[in-house]
Amino acid sequence: QVRLVESGGDLVQPGGSLRLSCTASGSVFRVNAMGWYRQAPGKERELVAEMAGGSSANYADSVKGRFSISRDNAKNTVYLQMNSLKPEDTAVYYCNAELKRSLSAPYTYYWGQGTQVTVSS
């Protein structure tokens, strides 16, 4: 069994910062890409940032220059540093990981349960 557990969501004022964390645990053999998505009320889930097995990162245009994704591969953990937060960043943030559970298993995508980020004064 594989679990992705997120943490770090909170209520923050506009202009503030938060750091989200997500750790993959359980039957994890190898992790390839890890990333963050978000879903605001009444909207579709959208990519925020993702990082492949190497160091290349991809960001949504709306967060470029404000958010930064990083990984600790030894801990199967991905972080999302969010600065200069805006009310429109309010959403449930989901962690996503592409991983395999054994050498012979295929790569499969897994999701975390989500963590709420609310930006409001």
Side-chain angles (χ1 to χ4, degrees), residues 1-9 19-28 31 34-36 75-80 92-97 99 110-116:
Q1 187 175 357
V2 173
R3 293 184 66 203
L4 298 184
V5 179
E6 302 114 330
S7 62
R19 188 192 194 209
L20 305 183
S21 300
C22 170
T23 298
S25 63
S27 303
V28 178
V31 180
M34 298 189 80
W36 292 93
K75 298 180 179 179
N76 291 333
T77 297
V78 62
Y79 305 95
L80 185 68
V92 178
Y93 284 70
Y94 295 92
C95 175
N96 176 265
L99 60 87
Y110 291 84
W111 291 93
Q113 81 287 352
T115 185
Q116 178 70 46

Side-chain angles (χ1 to χ4, degrees), residues 32-111:
N32 187 21
M34 298 189 80
W36 292 93
Y37 288 70
R38 67 186 181 187
Q39 187 166 18
K43 294 187 177 181
E44 294 186 354
R45 191 173 297 189
E46 62 175 1
L47 173 70
V48 176
E50 63 181 355
M51 180 175 277
S55 59
S56 62
N58 181 40
Y59 296 91
D61 288 342
S62 59
V63 307
K64 284 180 180 177
R66 300 188 298 122
F67 291 10
S68 178
I69 188 171
S70 60
R71 289 175 59 169
D72 184 336
N73 292 327
K75 298 180 179 179
N76 291 333
T77 297
V78 62
Y79 305 95
L80 185 68
Q81 178 66 43
M82 304 185 295
N83 300 325
S84 302
L85 282 161
K86 305 175 181 180
E88 51 263 44
D89 294 318
T90 295
V92 178
Y93 284 70
Y94 295 92
C95 175
N96 176 265
E98 180 189 24
L99 60 87
K100 54 167 51 182
R101 297 177 62 181
S102 68
L103 180 61
S104 60
Y107 277 103
T108 305
Y109 287 95
Y110 291 84
W111 291 93

